[in-house]
Amino acid sequence: MSELAVILGDRVAGTLTRLSGGRLRFDYADDYGAGTPLSLSMPVQVRSHPNGVVAPWLWGLLPDNEAVLRRWSREFHASAASPFSLLATPVGEDCAGAVRFAKPDELDRVLGRPGAVTWLDEHGVAARLRELQEDATAWLGRNFTGQFSLAGAQAKTALLHSGARWEARVNTTHLLTRTYEEARERSRLRREALSDWPQPFGRGGFGWVVPPVLNTFTRLAVEMCPASGKLRAIGYEPQPGSELPRPATEICTLTAAEAVPA
């Protein structure tokens, strides 16, 4: 049995456990209380979540690109078939949604965010982008100077921007993709898919929304699970005195059956 501490912001949200046979379980920490849930499918009211819920969430934090996963597995001596194994490496220390993973003996280091910063000038950023053009799996740079994980298949890198300087390891603020041409093509495909969608996107009104919502500070989090045929959405807003955004709406759940006209 192996364990990883799961950190949200600067709080330990709970423990991720790999059980015998490779199955996973996540348990919220007793002192986490009514903190922000890691996922809409993992509410804090339920203190323990099984493999069927945890594994899809973990895979959603990793690239949907087998070539990138294979490269990371070789570099960090991890299993490309195991999200636990991959997120136990340095890439798990900077994931989407302010989530971080740490081995028990590395928890204090990860929480403390120690270490020096190696700044890049514009020429260094340009070199990083050229590397991506030449090798679409070089998300972390050819020499693995970055430490982050993001979902999706498109080649990308992430950098911290402060003043006129850039850094490629911690607290990333900017996501850079490989080419404008690729981004434009993906945007065109999305527009065509939406325009050709033959069914309604939802039914009824927005009575599930708890005001205030739909202002410039509201962010909508959406999860889709093809296996269960469910889509969940919830709005988040920053709250005074809270380090992380808090839920501002109730959870709206739409099933595949509800999306298909009778």
Side-chain angles (χ1 to χ4, degrees):
M1 184 174 69
S2 303
E3 294 183 345
L4 290 175
V6 182
I7 305 163
L8 186 60
D10 288 318
R11 293 185 63 191
V12 176
T15 301
L16 177 65
T17 304
R18 180 168 56 185
L19 306 168
S20 59
R23 296 184 68 79
L24 303 172
R25 186 188 72 225
F26 173 76
D27 300 285
Y28 280 107
D30 292 338
D31 60 357
Y32 193 64
T36 303
L38 295 178
S39 164
L40 297 181
S41 60
M42 299 165 62
V44 294
Q45 293 84 353
V46 180
R47 307 307 290 181
S48 183
H49 295 275
N51 184 81
V53 174
V54 175
W57 174 67
L58 293 175
W59 280 120
L61 298 174
L62 290 162
D64 187 19
N65 187 315
E66 292 185 2
V68 173
L69 295 180
R70 288 195 298 268
R71 179 169 181 165
W72 288 6
S73 70
R74 291 192 301 269
E75 174 66 21
F76 297 114
H77 307 288
S79 170
S82 168
F84 183 99
S85 180
L86 289 165
L87 291 169
T89 71
V91 299
E93 296 179 13
D94 186 5
C95 298
V99 175
R100 293 180 286 161
F101 297 84
K103 297 177 181 178
D105 58 350
E106 293 284 318
L107 179 58
D108 290 341
R109 179 188 64 80
V110 175
L111 283 173
R113 302 176 185 267
V117 174
T118 302
W119 294 105
L120 302 174
D121 57 17
E122 291 187 359
H123 296 290
V125 175
R128 174 64 64 86
L129 296 179
R130 282 196 299 272
E131 290 176 1
L132 276 176
Q133 286 184 315
E134 297 166 2
D135 182 355
T137 69
W139 291 22
L140 306 182
R142 285 178 176 164
N143 298 320
F144 286 82
T145 53
Q147 293 178 353
F148 73 91
S149 177
L150 285 171
Q154 183 182 15
K156 56 178 70 71
T157 192
L159 303 172
L160 167 67
H161 184 231
S162 177
R165 302 181 300 178
W166 298 84
E167 202 274 343
R169 289 181 70 86
V170 296
N171 294 351
T172 53
T173 59
H174 286 63
L175 173 66
L176 306 177
T177 57
R178 182 171 51 179
T179 65
Y180 286 110
E181 290 75 17
E182 185 176 40
R184 184 167 57 245
E185 176 64 11
R186 288 179 180 273
S187 179
R188 182 186 65 80
L189 293 174
R190 282 194 295 269
R191 289 197 306 271
E192 291 178 356
L194 288 172
S195 64
D196 293 338
W197 181 251
Q199 302 171 359
F201 287 97
R203 290 182 173 181
F206 287 89
W208 56 276
V209 174
V210 177
V213 73
L214 303 180
N215 58 52
T216 57
F217 300 104
T218 303
R219 296 295 179 266
L220 192 64
V222 179
E223 286 186 342
M224 294 177 285
C225 179
S228 64
K230 292 183 179 180
L231 180 147
R232 296 186 181 93
I234 185 172
Y236 282 85
E237 294 182 6
Q239 301 291 333
S242 177
E243 185 174 335
L244 296 172
R246 307 288 295 179
T249 73
E250 297 178 0
I251 297 175
C252 174
T253 301
L254 181 67
T255 65
E258 292 172 327
V260 178

